[in-house]
Amino acid sequence: MAEDASRKTPEQRAGMTDLERLRHSCAHVLATGILKIWPEAQFAAGPPVENGFYYDLELDHRISPEDFEKIEAEMKKVVKENQVFERSVVNREEALHMAEEGRLAALSERSAPSKFKLDIIRGIPEGEEITLYRNGDFTDLCAGPHVMRTGNIGAFKLTSVASAYYKGDERNPQLQRIYGTAFKTRAELDAYFEMLEEAKKRDHRKLGKELQLFTFDAEDVGPGLPLWLPNGTVLIEELEKLAKETEFHAGYQRVRTPHLARESLYLTSGHLPYYQESMFPPMEISEEGGEGRAVKYYLKAMNCPHHHKLFAAVPRSYRDLPLRLAEYGTCYRYEQSGELFGLMRVRSMQMNDAHIYCTREQFEAEFNAVNELYLKYFKIFGLDKYLMRFSTHDPAKLGEKFVNEPELWKETEEMVRSVLVKSGIAFVEIPNEAAFYGPKIDAQVWSAIGREFTFATNQVDFSVPKRFGLKYKTREGGFETPLCIHRAPLGTHERSIGFLIEHFAGAFPTWLAPEQVRVLPISEKHTAYARQITEMLRKEEIRAGCDESPDKIGAKIRLAQIEKVSYMLVLGAREEAANLVAVRSRKRGDEGALSAEEFLTRLKREIANREL
Amino acid sequence: MAEDASRKTPEQRAGMTDLERLRHSCAHVLATGILKIWPEAQFAAGPPVENGFYYDLELDHRISPEDFEKIEAEMKKVVKENQVFERSVVNREEALHMAEEGRLAALSERSAPSKFKLDIIRGIPEGEEITLYRNGDFTDLCAGPHVMRTGNIGAFKLTSVASAYYKGDERNPQLQRIYGTAFKTRAELDAYFEMLEEAKKRDHRKLGKELQLFTFDAEDVGPGLPLWLPNGTVLIEELEKLAKETEFHAGYQRVRTPHLARESLYLTSGHLPYYQESMFPPMEISEEGGEGRAVKYYLKAMNCPHHHKLFAAVPRSYRDLPLRLAEYGTCYRYEQSGELFGLMRVRSMQMNDAHIYCTREQFEAEFNAVNELYLKYFKIFGLDKYLMRFSTHDPAKLGEKFVNEPELWKETEEMVRSVLVKSGIAFVEIPNEAAFYGPKIDAQVWSAIGREFTFATNQVDFSVPKRFGLKYKTREGGFETPLCIHRAPLGTHERSIGFLIEHFAGAFPTWLAPEQVRVLPISEKHTAYARQITEMLRKEEIRAGCDESPDKIGAKIRLAQIEKVSYMLVLGAREEAANLVAVRSRKRGDEGALSAEEFLTRLKREIANREL
């Protein structure tokens, strides 16, 4: 505990949320429980983590999930006893002495030295306060904070066991890491495990395979480079269509740029050398412009430098601003193999990217319009819960972590803040987390099962346009450098689609669904009628298929349900005779018989409105 | 002459078109004319070339365009004399003797040796026939053929002078190359120069700049890598929309694949090592899969290998065939710097590419459907003149130039031929020009000003699916390898758009036009009304702009005309009072006043029908 806690600044410790404090306390309870069974256990660090906590320990007995019940029983006793968490301050000598006597992270009766705690105390800088927390007869070296009493821990559960090197260094001894989670109430705990269960069912990698959305071929194509099957491509193209339509009305103009550029472009932009390790290595060619050396070409990791070149390609005047250049550009970033994860962390990124060049006077309106775009998209996807994280600069780090333009920082941050306040969008301000060249906003959203996700980033840039020498002619005939807003409200297709697969559990709204309608003739006799209906729908650009297999109608319906087709049209003798279609909605079930025209009219309205 | 002619096979010589024969004869007349003025001139080679002919010569006097009139006057005399072209066969000794005496490519009176002709004769293989052609007192070493008499040359003109090394080798002496052209009639000659004049006005590089369609940044991005400005991007996206719509109805499914892949993919496909010099060099990375060496990633030069991977990603059955996978994939080819030319020869190629996997039984219908797609596209662009060049294999070169599958060659060529004959499309068959892995079709089209262009290629592939081990389950439960049709009826965007710019002289049909409507208020008083009309059009996804400059209405109209906007709506007091718009079509001029709704209805119909 001390180890992790001591690394944090007092503000960060104070910033521990209620839930983190609760989980942190539960780690102490875990240690207490384990010591009741194995008093010889040696504990190292035990911080709260995302969704729970862990504690690392050394013990000859190999703890397995079979032991969890026994440990949890001991922990329950500790909670039931409602022990007080008691804080005390000690000096270095006292702390070292206690560790040597084996009285830290230990029940009172143990005698072997608390070896990891000893090591941790030795690492605490001189002059820093050393605190202990005690509950019952268990005392630990710990910076806190904790809940008042063990009884405040409403519900907990141990979840898994793994191994980890002490301090994460493989030259150190290997420890056992016990993971658990805790909540204020039993209901919250249950909901969490239900969510996990649901998330497993909704895993985008699993559904991606089942629904034939995408595939990987690490060996011949390369890891982290998804190949999109027809069903997944429908998702991409519908998102693109949505963005193009929306952004046409918002006054964006579309552009296209190549996927690579010469080294010199990235020297100007500053991507080289600062961003080089996230880029694919260069292609080296002997050609003109290399001054005797090979010319290096890099795959683009971002679209901005190319867009800046398009801004500069034509003389620009204040009349042309705001100039909003949008592109579906695929960028390539060399993420480390260990970090690749399904669609969530990939090396090829299809991005709905845009750069808005504007004057300072136009900034507020433009920034607000971008935020409104976000909200529009969130609404379309049924994302009710979202939060804007507004990252600002730290005046103490100007010229170091942040570009040295104190006035511009103040001015733009004030503009962004004012836009956020006026628009009423929920936001939190996070100091010292801005980008190098300007403040930024991250849009956090929560999926239908409550999982948090950073949907997209939106940045102000008042530095790079200058590096590229971008200028526009002012009304007065002078020249000024525009501000630039980087924005990508749909993020990258890969991540967004990964998120949407989970959010919709693969059952996409009709406008997004790869297969919108499947026509199911009850028997072979109705094949001709089924084909005629299918053809009629496809003529109207409905993604309709026809199941002509010899299977029974029940099997056909089951298959369409598994494949998450939005509508099934069941066609038998009755329907054919009356020239009707029996409609079965995936979401709402049987909807009765309609004329094909009536069904088509309803369907087209649902699609045009992008209904959920 | 002999030099070039002797390099050709007798069939190729026989294959000289009437016009080439005429131009070839005119080269002799050119030599005759020059010798009348400068009897000391030494001639080398003088073949017909695209659009004309040239003759290379050595002469101390530097011929300049100022000399053309004088030379043409001498040539006219030769034509007027209506000299007979007289062929004779000589043996090697006679030929060498005549050259030594300076009687080849010379008027009868000259005495210095004909040095280049001497060298050419020495290069003619033993046993090959040596022929001379004589007109009047000029005799030349020449394989022919020629027109009957100089009087058959209806009209000619010298066009330019350049320099060229003898035999194209820079270690040889530098010669003067005089270019000219000739036609059967004066009217044809005049039409040709009018076409050239028009082509200059329509030059896609000139219009690309004027209409702000695209730009290049050779230094920072790289040569041959166009960056598309908003106006050009409209062209691309409208073409994509056209293709997606058309191909949805033709049963294609869209896919997306990354722009790069590992070396192993291109070893399987055979691109490496055979195609390597047309590919960008590899990016080398130390990662898993390299067996200790760096893994090489290549930018894709073609989409096929990725599509084959998508075919293989899912178990396929005969029920899935034909499977038509289409992609707007950008490919990268490293064309040599000297070959780059505007949009016509670039290094990044946006391709409307598709691969159709089918059984042999399905082939004929699929191939026919592809041809029909071509015709559909040609019709949309108003290309009335087209010709399919059907390239077949040579049975003598099986296992060498062509994959050794004699039965498959016969079978597929017969199928292709039968499709072409049945469909009634004009085609010519060209033996020995097929691709390695199957027969191919090139679609030749002619622009509005009569320029020929290869729009796209369409190939049958019965080899590569086997290399990739592609299989489908047959109805009987066995496994077979599908045939694959490679097709890209719109070619690459870059070349097609380059061609369409010339074809339409930058004045695109409304559905393609970057700006479809420009609203022109007569004075500032009507700005509000103009904005309202513009807004109303943009709501309906019309690409409409509004000219709010303080310019006079005449200037506004001129500008819109120069910028080739399809429609102008002129709005003054009268229009505003009556709630009308005065319509001016770029093509048809003044069209009177209409209600905005009526104009919109007509416009939307014109766009939906993609009217020319």
Side-chain angles (χ1 to χ4, degrees):
Chain A
M1 329 268 316
E3 185 207 354
D4 280 70
S6 73
R7 276 210 219 107
K8 294 193 172 181
T9 63
E11 304 88 71
Q12 279 174 316
R13 278 204 302 272
M16 212 184 256
T17 64
D18 288 354
L19 199 56
E20 282 167 340
R21 187 191 304 242
L22 180 109
R23 286 166 175 175
H24 186 39
S25 302
C26 198
H28 283 224
V29 174
L30 167 63
T32 316
I34 287 175
L35 287 163
K36 297 270 185 199
I37 306 166
W38 298 285
E40 71 277 22
Q42 288 280 0
F43 286 86
V49 288
E50 210 194 334
N51 299 321
F53 62 86
Y54 67 78
Y55 216 137
D56 285 346
L57 67 144
E58 192 180 68
L59 181 64
D60 282 344
H61 172 75
R62 241 193 136 59
I63 294 178
S64 78
E66 279 89 71
D67 297 316
F68 286 176
E69 206 181 309
K70 193 163 60 179
I71 302 170
E72 284 171 349
E74 290 299 334
M75 290 170 73
K76 269 180 200 152
K77 286 185 207 160
V78 177
V79 169
K80 205 166 177 198
E81 283 171 19
N82 202 15
Q83 300 166 354
V84 173
F85 279 99
E86 208 173 279
R87 179 177 186 269
S88 57
V89 178
V90 290
N91 63 34
R92 183 172 297 262
E93 286 64 44
E94 284 176 287
L96 287 168
H97 183 68
M98 286 181 80
E100 275 155 10
E101 287 198 330
R103 289 192 280 131
L104 290 185
L107 300 180
S108 33
E109 66 265 26
R110 208 182 60 186
S111 59
S114 308
K115 57 180 185 173
F116 299 115
K117 300 293 172 181
L118 202 55
D119 184 62
I120 291 166
I121 296 166
R122 288 185 184 130
I124 298 177
E126 280 297 339
E128 205 172 278
E129 195 179 66
I130 299 178
T131 56
L132 308 181
Y133 274 88
R134 192 178 68 81
N135 60 286
D137 46 5
F138 173 79
T139 305
D140 204 351
L141 172 77
C142 175
H146 283 281
V147 291
M148 297 292 289
R149 304 174 142 263
T150 56
N152 295 134
I153 300 168
F156 65 86
K157 194 169 169 49
L158 299 182
T159 51
S160 63
V161 56
S163 58
Y165 292 103
Y166 175 54
K167 288 183 171 170
D169 186 336
E170 60 185 18
R171 290 164 304 183
N172 287 338
Q174 207 173 28
L175 307 177
Q176 303 188 57
R177 175 170 292 180
I178 317 291
Y179 283 98
T181 190
F183 287 89
K184 268 190 201 148
T185 66
R186 158 69 45 185
E188 283 169 317
L189 184 78
D190 291 347
Y192 172 72
F193 282 101
E194 264 167 48
M195 188 271 276
L196 280 193
E197 205 46 48
E198 189 58 37
K200 221 190 276 172
K201 279 190 233 151
R202 293 173 180 233
D203 186 318
H204 79 277
R205 292 163 305 168
K206 180 174 156 283
L207 284 174
K209 202 176 162 129
E210 284 171 15
L211 300 175
Q212 299 193 0
L213 300 176
F214 56 88
T215 185
F216 285 95
D217 188 318
E219 204 176 311
D220 287 339
V221 176
L225 297 168
L227 290 101
W228 292 87
L229 288 156
N231 288 343
T233 306
V234 167
L235 300 176
I236 296 180
E237 300 210 332
E238 282 297 337
L239 291 184
E240 287 191 6
K241 209 171 134 199
L242 167 65
K244 285 182 186 176
E245 264 179 48
T246 311
E247 294 173 10
F248 174 83
H249 294 299
Y252 287 77
Q253 296 182 292
R254 305 205 73 84
V255 296
R256 295 269 180 126
T257 64
H259 297 91
L260 74 175
R262 286 178 164 191
E263 181 180 32
S264 62
L265 187 70
Y266 299 113
L267 288 171
T268 304
S269 71
H271 284 102
L272 291 177
Y274 299 113
Y275 198 72
Q276 185 158 15
E277 63 181 36
S278 295
M279 292 169 79
F280 272 77
M283 292 164 267
E284 306 196 24
I285 311 175
S286 291
E287 62 172 18
E288 276 170 55
E291 288 161 9
R293 282 172 304 127
V295 176
K296 290 181 183 175
Y297 282 84
Y298 284 90
L299 283 184
K300 66 178 170 187
M302 289 173 179
N303 294 306
C304 358
H306 284 89
H307 290 190
H308 298 334
K309 281 288 177 185
L310 283 172
F311 182 95
V314 175
R316 304 290 180 183
S317 105
Y318 70 96
R319 287 171 182 280
D320 302 324
L321 303 189
L323 184 75
R324 309 176 191 95
L325 300 182
E327 177 172 21
Y328 262 105
T330 306
C331 294
Y332 288 89
R333 295 188 193 153
Y334 195 75
E335 303 284 352
Q336 291 308 309
S337 302
E339 291 177 6
L340 297 175
F341 176 72
L343 292 178
M344 300 318 262
R345 203 56 101 85
V346 286
R347 289 180 178 161
S348 63
M349 275 149 264
Q350 302 181 70
M351 236 184 274
N352 167 40
D353 210 356
H355 295 90
I356 301 173
Y357 302 89
C358 63
T359 67
R360 290 195 202 183
E361 295 71 41
Q362 292 163 338
F363 175 81
E364 203 165 325
E366 288 304 311
F367 198 79
N368 191 41
V370 169
N371 277 326
E372 277 173 12
L373 262 190
Y374 276 89
L375 300 188
K376 200 173 247 172
Y377 289 133
F378 293 166
K379 199 169 169 200
I380 287 171
F381 297 119
L383 301 170
D384 317 314
K385 193 176 166 195
Y386 49 80
L387 179 71
M388 297 294 190
R389 302 201 320 170
F390 170 31
S391 301
T392 55
H393 81 301
D394 178 347
K397 292 180 185 159
L398 283 171
E400 175 196 334
K401 192 174 166 187
F402 304 108
V403 60
N404 198 2
E405 298 269 13
E407 282 313 305
L408 270 169
W409 277 105
K410 259 176 77 180
E411 192 182 324
T412 47
E413 283 180 4
E414 192 38 50
M415 288 193 285
V416 171
R417 196 175 292 114
S418 129
V419 168
L420 287 168
V421 169
K422 274 191 219 163
S423 68
I425 300 175
F427 77 99
V428 287
E429 196 166 323
I430 301 161
N432 196 25
E433 298 256 308
F436 176 70
Y437 46 69
K440 67 171 185 173
I441 284 190
D442 293 301
Q444 300 297 111
V445 296
W446 281 261
S447 77
I449 58 169
R451 253 226 293 227
E452 189 176 353
F453 178 79
T454 303
F455 210 76
T457 292
N458 181 7
Q459 299 183 342
V460 186
D461 185 338
F462 43 73
S463 164
V464 178
K466 205 177 276 176
R467 295 179 70 123
F468 275 85
L470 304 188
K471 294 277 181 209
Y472 65 92
K473 197 170 184 175
T474 64
R475 193 185 294 267
E476 295 72 31
F479 286 93
E480 286 228 0
T481 299
L483 286 178
C484 176
I485 303 174
H486 303 240
R487 47 111 281 177
L490 291 173
T492 70
H493 277 329
E494 287 73 15
R495 291 195 77 222
S496 304
I497 290 177
F499 170 79
L500 292 175
I501 291 171
E502 172 177 309
H503 180 62
F504 290 120
F508 300 100
T510 308
W511 69 274
L512 256 182
E515 193 171 347
Q516 296 171 316
V517 180
R518 190 176 295 173
V519 181
L520 311 176
I522 287 180
S523 76
E524 218 180 302
K525 277 186 292 184
H526 308 294
T527 305
Y529 182 52
R531 283 188 190 170
Q532 178 202 322
I533 297 292
T534 313
E535 225 16 76
M536 173 224 182
L537 293 168
R538 289 189 61 88
K539 264 218 176 83
E540 298 287 327
E541 317 227 317
I542 303 299
R543 295 186 290 271
C546 184
D547 185 346
E548 300 189 12
S549 73
D551 298 339
K552 291 243 167 65
I553 187 68
K556 288 184 182 181
I557 291 175
R558 259 194 310 284
L559 184 67
Q561 200 83 30
I562 289 170
E563 294 182 355
K564 303 191 194 290
V565 179
S566 299
Y567 288 97
M568 293 159 246
L569 300 183
V570 181
L571 305 186
R574 214 164 2 155
E575 287 76 19
E576 185 163 359
N579 209 12
L580 295 175
V581 296
V583 180
R584 207 187 148 86
S585 152
R586 186 199 60 228
K587 245 177 10 197
R588 297 175 301 270
D590 200 348
E591 297 202 310
L594 292 176
S595 75
E597 290 69 28
E598 171 68 16
F599 170 69
L600 181 62
T601 306
R602 290 194 197 179
L603 183 67
K604 283 175 86 171
R605 191 171 49 221
E606 181 183 340
I607 292 169
N609 295 338
R610 295 197 170 91
E611 288 173 24
L612 279 165
Chain B
M1 326 274 323
E3 184 207 354
D4 280 72
S6 74
R7 274 210 220 105
K8 294 193 171 178
T9 62
E11 304 87 72
Q12 280 174 316
R13 277 205 302 270
M16 211 186 255
T17 64
D18 286 355
L19 199 55
E20 281 167 341
R21 189 190 302 243
L22 181 110
R23 286 166 176 174
H24 186 37
S25 302
C26 198
H28 283 225
V29 173
L30 167 63
T32 315
I34 287 176
L35 286 165
K36 297 267 186 201
I37 307 166
W38 298 285
E40 71 278 22
Q42 288 280 0
F43 287 86
V49 290
E50 211 193 333
N51 298 322
F53 62 86
Y54 68 77
Y55 216 137
D56 286 347
L57 68 143
E58 192 179 68
L59 181 65
D60 282 343
H61 172 75
R62 238 190 140 59
I63 294 178
S64 79
E66 280 90 70
D67 297 316
F68 286 176
E69 207 180 308
K70 193 164 60 177
I71 301 171
E72 283 170 349
E74 290 298 336
M75 290 169 73
K76 268 180 201 153
K77 285 185 209 161
V78 176
V79 170
K80 205 166 178 198
E81 284 171 19
N82 202 16
Q83 300 167 351
V84 174
F85 280 99
E86 209 173 281
R87 179 177 186 270
S88 57
V89 178
V90 290
N91 64 34
R92 183 171 296 262
E93 286 66 42
E94 282 177 288
L96 288 169
H97 183 67
M98 286 181 79
E100 275 156 8
E101 288 198 327
R103 288 192 280 132
L104 292 184
L107 299 180
S108 35
E109 68 264 29
R110 206 180 62 186
S111 60
S114 308
K115 57 181 185 174
F116 300 114
K117 298 294 172 180
L118 202 57
D119 184 62
I120 291 166
I121 295 167
R122 286 183 185 131
I124 299 177
E126 281 297 339
E128 205 172 278
E129 196 179 64
I130 300 177
T131 56
L132 309 180
Y133 274 88
R134 191 177 70 79
N135 59 287
D137 46 6
F138 174 78
T139 304
D140 203 350
L141 173 76
C142 176
H146 282 282
V147 290
M148 298 292 289
R149 303 174 142 264
T150 55
N152 296 134
I153 300 168
F156 66 84
K157 195 170 169 49
L158 298 182
T159 51
S160 64
V161 55
S163 58
Y165 292 104
Y166 176 53
K167 287 181 170 170
D169 186 336
E170 59 185 18
R171 291 165 302 183
N172 288 337
Q174 208 174 26
L175 307 178
Q176 302 189 57
R177 175 171 292 181
I178 317 293
Y179 281 98
T181 191
F183 286 88
K184 266 190 204 148
T185 66
R186 157 72 43 188
E188 282 169 318
L189 183 80
D190 290 346
Y192 172 72
F193 281 101
E194 264 167 47
M195 188 272 277
L196 279 193
E197 205 45 49
E198 189 58 37
K200 222 191 273 171
K201 280 190 232 153
R202 293 174 179 231
D203 186 319
H204 79 277
R205 292 164 305 169
K206 180 175 156 282
L207 285 173
K209 202 175 164 133
E210 284 171 16
L211 300 175
Q212 299 194 1
L213 300 175
F214 57 87
T215 185
F216 285 95
D217 188 319
E219 203 176 311
D220 287 340
V221 176
L225 297 167
L227 290 100
W228 291 87
L229 288 156
N231 288 343
T233 306
V234 167
L235 299 177
I236 296 180
E237 301 210 332
E238 283 296 337
L239 290 184
E240 288 192 5
K241 209 171 135 201
L242 167 65
K244 285 182 185 174
E245 264 178 48
T246 312
E247 294 173 10
F248 174 82
H249 293 299
Y252 287 77
Q253 296 182 292
R254 304 206 72 85
V255 296
R256 295 271 182 125
T257 64
H259 297 92
L260 75 174
R262 287 178 163 191
E263 181 180 33
S264 62
L265 186 69
Y266 299 114
L267 288 170
T268 304
S269 71
H271 285 103
L272 291 176
Y274 300 111
Y275 198 71
Q276 185 158 16
E277 63 180 36
S278 295
M279 293 170 79
F280 273 76
M283 294 164 264
E284 305 196 24
I285 311 174
S286 291
E287 63 172 18
E288 275 170 56
E291 288 161 7
R293 283 171 304 128
V295 176
K296 291 181 183 174
Y297 282 84
Y298 285 90
L299 283 184
K300 66 177 170 186
M302 290 173 179
N303 293 305
C304 359
H306 284 89
H307 289 190
H308 298 335
K309 281 288 179 186
L310 283 171
F311 182 95
V314 175
R316 304 289 180 184
S317 103
Y318 69 96
R319 286 171 182 282
D320 301 324
L321 304 189
L323 183 75
R324 309 176 191 94
L325 300 181
E327 176 172 21
Y328 262 104
T330 306
C331 294
Y332 288 89
R333 296 190 191 152
Y334 194 75
E335 302 285 352
Q336 292 308 309
S337 303
E339 292 178 5
L340 296 175
F341 175 71
L343 293 177
M344 300 316 262
R345 202 56 102 85
V346 287
R347 288 181 178 160
S348 64
M349 275 148 265
Q350 302 182 70
M351 236 184 275
N352 167 41
D353 209 356
H355 296 89
I356 302 172
Y357 302 88
C358 64
T359 67
R360 292 196 200 180
E361 294 71 41
Q362 290 164 340
F363 174 81
E364 202 166 324
E366 288 304 312
F367 198 79
N368 190 41
V370 169
N371 277 327
E372 276 172 13
L373 262 189
Y374 276 90
L375 298 189
K376 202 174 244 171
Y377 289 133
F378 293 167
K379 199 170 168 197
I380 287 172
F381 298 120
L383 301 171
D384 316 314
K385 192 177 165 194
Y386 50 80
L387 178 72
M388 298 295 190
R389 302 202 319 169
F390 170 31
S391 300
T392 56
H393 81 300
D394 177 348
K397 292 178 185 161
L398 283 171
E400 176 197 331
K401 192 174 167 188
F402 305 107
V403 59
N404 198 1
E405 297 268 13
E407 282 313 304
L408 270 170
W409 277 105
K410 258 177 77 179
E411 192 183 326
T412 47
E413 284 180 2
E414 191 38 49
M415 288 193 287
V416 171
R417 197 175 292 116
S418 127
V419 168
L420 287 168
V421 169
K422 275 192 220 163
S423 67
I425 302 174
F427 77 98
V428 286
E429 196 166 324
I430 301 161
N432 197 26
E433 298 256 308
F436 176 69
Y437 46 69
K440 69 171 185 173
I441 282 189
D442 294 300
Q444 300 297 110
V445 296
W446 280 260
S447 78
I449 56 167
R451 250 226 296 226
E452 189 177 351
F453 178 79
T454 303
F455 210 77
T457 292
N458 181 7
Q459 299 183 341
V460 185
D461 185 338
F462 41 72
S463 164
V464 178
K466 203 177 274 175
R467 294 179 72 123
F468 275 86
L470 305 187
K471 295 277 180 208
Y472 65 92
K473 198 169 183 175
T474 64
R475 191 185 294 268
E476 295 71 29
F479 286 92
E480 286 227 1
T481 299
L483 285 179
C484 176
I485 302 174
H486 304 240
R487 47 112 281 176
L490 291 173
T492 71
H493 277 330
E494 288 73 15
R495 292 195 76 222
S496 303
I497 290 177
F499 170 78
L500 291 176
I501 291 171
E502 171 178 308
H503 180 61
F504 290 120
F508 301 100
T510 308
W511 70 273
L512 256 182
E515 193 171 347
Q516 296 171 317
V517 180
R518 190 175 295 172
V519 181
L520 311 178
I522 286 180
S523 77
E524 218 180 303
K525 278 186 293 186
H526 309 295
T527 305
Y529 182 52
R531 282 188 189 170
Q532 178 202 322
I533 297 291
T534 312
E535 225 17 75
M536 173 225 182
L537 293 169
R538 290 189 61 88
K539 264 219 175 85
E540 298 287 327
E541 316 227 318
I542 302 298
R543 295 186 291 270
C546 184
D547 185 346
E548 299 189 12
S549 73
D551 298 339
K552 292 243 167 65
I553 188 68
K556 287 184 183 183
I557 292 175
R558 259 193 312 283
L559 185 67
Q561 199 84 29
I562 289 170
E563 295 183 354
K564 302 188 195 292
V565 180
S566 299
Y567 288 97
M568 293 159 245
L569 300 184
V570 181
L571 305 186
R574 213 166 359 157
E575 287 77 19
E576 184 162 359
N579 209 14
L580 295 175
V581 296
V583 180
R584 205 185 149 86
S585 151
R586 185 198 61 229
K587 245 179 9 198
R588 296 176 302 271
D590 200 349
E591 299 201 310
L594 292 177
S595 76
E597 290 69 27
E598 170 69 13
F599 169 70
L600 181 62
T601 307
R602 289 193 197 179
L603 182 67
K604 284 175 85 172
R605 192 173 45 221
E606 181 184 340
I607 292 169
N609 295 337
R610 295 197 170 90
E611 288 173 24
L612 278 167

